[in-house]
Amino acid sequence: ASHTYSCTYIYFLYILFEISYIKMEKVMRLATEKGVVIFTKSSCCLCYAVNILFQEIGVYPVIHEIDKDPEGKEMEKAITKLGCNAPVPAVFIGGKLVGSTNEVMSLHLSGSLVPLLRPYQI
């Protein structure tokens, strides 16, 4: 069976794709502007805990509070599409997505987090 779609529907899909792509680009641009970047929400206690852990290791990450960004909802979707199981905290080290709290804590408990962060320690 063949499907026919109206020009309006196809244009709508194109716009959705374009918006999603632009937000993905923004997230990646922000994620690579410094060595350690965390996307958070201001009310997230796990975000706070991860930030404090990094500071105790001697790393002061760049924090982007997506709930204070007008494009935050779209950025949250983009972070999820990048593979982060929870949209916040989304931790990037050296421009690469490490993950959220579970991944960071697993790395820390296994002894792998400090060596990963060593180039960014103050």
Side-chain angles (χ1 to χ4, degrees), residues 13-31 39 69 71-79 81-82:
L13 289 177
Y14 171 76
I15 294 298
L16 284 179
F17 172 77
E18 191 70 19
I19 290 169
S20 178
Y21 180 76
I22 290 168
K23 298 312 175 251
M24 189 81 68
E25 287 290 310
K26 179 178 181 176
V27 167
M28 291 311 299
R29 181 177 41 81
L30 293 172
F39 291 87
D69 190 307
E71 300 171 327
K73 288 283 184 199
E74 291 83 11
M75 290 172 66
E76 190 173 323
K77 290 175 190 170
I79 290 167
K81 284 182 183 176
L82 285 170

